[in-house]
Amino acid sequence: MLKNIAIYAIGLTAALQVVHGQSTQVTFDSGSFQIFNSNTSASIPLTGGSAADGNGAVFQLGYFTGAVNGSNNFTGTFVPLTGQGSANTAPIAGSTGETMNQTSIGDLTSFGAGNGTFAMTLLFNTLDSTSNNNLPPAGTIMSIRFFDGTSLGNSNFSNIVSNDAWVWNAPGTPPSVVAMTLDDANLEWYSIFLGQAGNTAFHTTLVLIPEPSTMALLMVGLVGSAVWMRRRAKVA
Amino acid sequence: MKRSLFLSAVIACGILVGNLNAQTVATNPVGFNTSTITPALSVSAPSSTVVSAPFYAPADFRGSVSSLDSTSSFSFSGTPFTASQFTTTPHLARMVSGNSVGRFFLITANTTSQITVNTFGYNLVSGAPGNTDTQITVGDSCEICPANTLGSLFGTSSVPFQTGTTSATADNVYLFNGTTWDIFFNNGTHWKQQGNLSTNLDNTVVYPDRGMFILRRGTGALSLTFLGAVPYSNERTDFPGPGSSFKSNRFPVDLTLAGATNPLNLQTLPGWQTGTTSATADNVYLWNGTTWNIFFYNGTHWKQQGNLSSNLDSTAIPIGTAMFVVRRSTASGNNSTLVQTLPYTLP
């Protein structure tokens, strides 16, 4: 309780710089770890892209809709607050022009991130339409989702990491704080939760399954092809 | 928070010393202040305390400006410096006379006679003082002193705080950067920042006008003692808006919002927004140990949200603490500057 009071109280300003809303600050980094691709027998870090921010392998800060302490952290649907697929587009302070929907491995370069690593602070303000989309209820456990490609379209594998201590705090003034690092004890990896080996931690080993809409398009294409081939056969 | 102030036996007041390559070194009155940090109930139930360091490090140099060289640089007569001597570790240039008395600037480069500073948006050479101009003129007195840093205030490999490998296990020092909190912790060797992979942030500057929020995870008693040169001139503090700032008390005495004794008088700032509720006025947040007390000026007196008392002008901003100032009003440059008169007389 005291912790909550303290953290809420510490929250107060960020977006107040421009907008007088209440805000939650998420400060997170990879600590002393790197994130690697799907090859668990090798150590090939996910690309951090160039020195510019926002062009490395995609990662999303987000949460599962049913993730609260007492449940498992991967219950429900994953909602991205940042990275490709996110509705938040606020600029990221300290970056080279990156916006919230562009978070990637290697960000922010100015904070020492490179291949396989990340470090940044994001501010979500209740009155800022570029950073207030899909904010979770207080108490929701946060997660970070990694992809092995620089866009969702060219990614084949992913993984998600979470921690019971990564709890979303209600926006406040000054900003409330959520501090997350891969150095934190008791990380939980989605791959291990799904039954994969322990060495899949820090690796993107989950095969990406095409979205239902993609599958539907694929089916339409296959049916269309079949019809066309049948007609062609009849003509012949 | 318990605290004490002791203006030590004055080592010397005013200018003492010698002439080292035309360099004048001054020794000012020194003092110390002790802030008691509330112990945590446990690592996962930390306590929170607001502190500030009301002293400067002793000056390395004092001299008169001999020329203004650019919007951000000026020089002194002779060759009183060694090139880059003020950037190996952070140093401040503090104006102690002239129009900018009480302002400080971080030195970003120096030659043997010239310093270049971070002006924080001001233009040093503007001929006409304006809303965003700080005018330094030839002959103004400037003091150069080491900046307070996390390393200089608290140590590097030996600190009074609970150390840890992450901010979740160590005591934290929160510094507000104008938008978000920068969260620092000591890993037993160096200062590190949550969300920053740099290995050594010992030289992170704690500016004289900034407050610190201490998140204590250690369960033992902790006292922080701040030692240094006592401010001996007026101080200038900027409260820009719209926006927020976490500002220190600036002087080693208790201030009041607008009381008879040592009033801060933020309401005298140009454009300070008054209102009948805290939701419409500019606000001052004071930490009470567990929550923020929110104050606003109604045009006549300071009031507190959730408190029906009609006059809270004498509310204290204690020595060694800080305040969160949230401005809805628009103010920048000199229009956001509060000139704080020296509240005591030095021997």
Side-chain angles (χ1 to χ4, degrees):
Chain A
M1 182 61 184
L2 182 59
K3 177 186 179 185
N4 288 339
I5 290 172
I7 291 177
Y8 285 142
I10 273 178
L12 197 301
T13 337
L16 291 171
Q17 192 80 3
V18 180
V19 181
H20 283 283
Q22 295 187 308
S23 47
T24 295
Q25 162 186 341
V26 183
T27 297
F28 57 116
D29 62 49
S30 51
S32 55
F33 292 96
Q34 284 183 292
I35 303 297
F36 304 104
N37 73 1
S38 59
N39 186 353
T40 56
S41 61
S43 296
I44 304 172
L46 298 182
T47 180
S50 69
D53 296 315
N55 58 10
V58 174
F59 81 75
Q60 299 167 325
L61 171 73
Y63 60 92
F64 282 84
T65 51
V68 294
N69 270 324
S71 71
N72 81 62
N73 294 354
F74 308 112
T75 300
T77 305
F78 185 84
V79 178
L81 290 179
T82 75
Q84 283 188 32
S86 162
N88 293 311
T89 57
I92 297 175
S95 73
T96 57
E98 184 180 17
T99 55
M100 282 188 176
N101 60 346
Q102 297 174 323
T103 53
S104 71
I105 295 292
D107 305 341
L108 301 175
T109 301
S110 62
F111 290 169
N115 289 335
T117 62
F118 58 90
M120 68 181 70
T121 294
L122 304 172
L123 192 72
F124 299 92
N125 186 287
T126 55
L127 294 185
D128 177 4
S129 62
T130 65
S131 68
N132 68 358
N133 297 287
N134 302 316
L135 302 186
T140 301
I141 295 172
M142 306 302 294
S143 298
I144 301 173
R145 188 180 191 186
F146 307 97
F147 296 83
D148 66 344
T150 55
S151 71
L152 297 183
N154 67 18
S155 295
N156 297 310
F157 294 93
S158 73
N159 206 343
I160 303 173
V161 61
S162 187
N163 191 304
D164 286 352
W166 296 353
V167 179
W168 178 267
N169 289 305
T173 305
S176 57
V177 172
V178 181
M180 306 160 55
T181 173
L182 297 188
D183 278 336
D184 284 331
N186 304 315
L187 297 180
E188 297 179 31
W189 291 90
Y190 194 35
S191 58
I192 298 173
F193 171 77
L194 293 177
Q196 292 190 350
N199 64 358
T200 59
F202 301 99
H203 287 264
T204 51
T205 59
L206 296 171
V207 177
L208 287 171
I209 299 172
E211 297 290 329
S213 57
T214 307
M215 291 295 286
L217 283 174
L218 183 62
M219 290 306 293
V220 168
L222 287 173
V223 170
S225 296
V227 170
W228 178 79
M229 290 179 70
R230 185 172 178 178
R231 285 181 178 172
R232 190 178 177 195
K234 281 184 177 177
V235 170
Chain B
M1 178 193 303
K2 296 178 180 176
R3 74 274 179 187
S4 62
L5 167 68
F6 173 68
L7 287 179
S8 76
V10 175
I11 295 176
C13 182
I15 298 187
L16 190 180
V17 198
N19 213 334
L20 301 174
N21 296 328
Q23 170 177 328
T24 303
V25 178
T27 303
N28 301 316
V30 297
F32 70 85
N33 175 61
T34 299
S35 296
T36 301
I37 307 301
T38 307
L41 294 177
S42 68
V43 168
S44 59
S47 68
S48 300
T49 308
V50 170
V51 302
S52 65
F55 304 107
Y56 292 92
D60 290 342
F61 168 87
R62 179 187 290 162
S64 298
V65 174
S66 63
S67 67
L68 282 162
D69 308 323
S70 75
T71 58
S72 61
S73 63
F74 49 96
S75 295
F76 301 87
S77 298
T79 55
F81 313 134
T82 300
S84 301
Q85 82 172 90
F86 298 131
T87 54
T88 305
T89 57
H91 280 70
L92 300 176
R94 178 168 172 258
M95 305 310 297
V96 290
S97 76
N99 291 339
S100 293
V101 60
R103 281 199 194 286
F104 57 84
F105 304 103
L106 182 68
I107 298 176
T108 56
N110 78 274
T111 67
T112 56
S113 62
Q114 182 191 64
I115 62 173
T116 302
V117 299
N118 179 351
T119 64
F120 305 114
Y122 284 99
N123 181 339
L124 300 185
V125 298
S126 171
N131 291 344
T132 57
D133 299 324
T134 288
Q135 191 169 22
I136 294 178
T137 56
V138 171
D140 286 355
S141 187
C142 177
E143 194 172 82
I144 295 177
C145 62
N148 287 332
T149 64
L150 291 175
S152 70
L153 289 174
F154 304 119
T156 54
S157 58
S158 176
V159 296
F161 297 115
Q162 176 164 304
T163 60
T165 54
T166 77
S167 67
T169 57
D171 288 348
N172 300 161
V173 177
Y174 282 55
L175 299 177
F176 196 70
N177 62 24
T179 304
T180 55
W181 296 100
D182 292 329
I183 305 169
F184 297 90
F185 62 99
N186 190 282
N187 67 0
T189 307
H190 294 296
W191 284 93
K192 301 254 303 172
Q193 181 183 354
Q194 173 81 36
N196 188 327
L197 298 178
S198 297
T199 56
N200 182 346
L201 292 167
D202 295 345
N203 281 335
T204 300
V205 174
V206 180
Y207 291 103
D209 65 347
R210 306 292 169 88
M212 293 173 275
F213 212 106
I214 307 294
L215 199 72
R216 172 74 166 156
R217 297 186 192 279
T219 55
L222 172 62
S223 294
L224 299 177
T225 298
F226 299 102
L227 171 71
V230 174
Y232 63 91
S233 69
N234 293 351
E235 298 283 28
R236 273 177 161 75
T237 309
D238 287 349
F239 296 91
S244 302
S245 47
F246 192 35
K247 296 296 190 183
S248 66
N249 167 316
R250 300 301 304 268
F251 292 112
V253 297
D254 289 349
L255 302 179
T256 61
L257 287 174
T261 306
N262 301 331
L264 184 64
N265 284 333
L266 279 170
Q267 77 279 5
T268 64
L269 279 169
W272 183 266
Q273 188 161 311
T274 62
T276 54
T277 74
S278 64
T280 58
D282 289 344
N283 297 157
V284 174
Y285 284 59
L286 297 179
W287 183 248
N288 65 17
T290 50
T291 59
W292 295 100
N293 291 335
I294 304 172
F295 295 87
F296 61 98
Y297 193 71
N298 70 356
T300 308
H301 294 294
W302 283 90
K303 302 260 297 175
Q304 181 185 349
Q305 178 177 303
N307 185 327
L308 299 179
S309 299
S310 59
N311 184 347
L312 293 169
D313 292 351
S314 59
T315 300
I317 304 158
I319 174 179
T321 65
M323 65 201 121
F324 228 106
V325 176
V326 180
R327 291 198 72 167
R328 293 178 165 77
S329 49
T330 299
S332 61
N334 287 328
N335 274 343
S336 71
T337 303
L338 183 72
V339 180
Q340 296 180 247
T341 306
L342 190 68
Y344 42 74
T345 303
L346 292 169

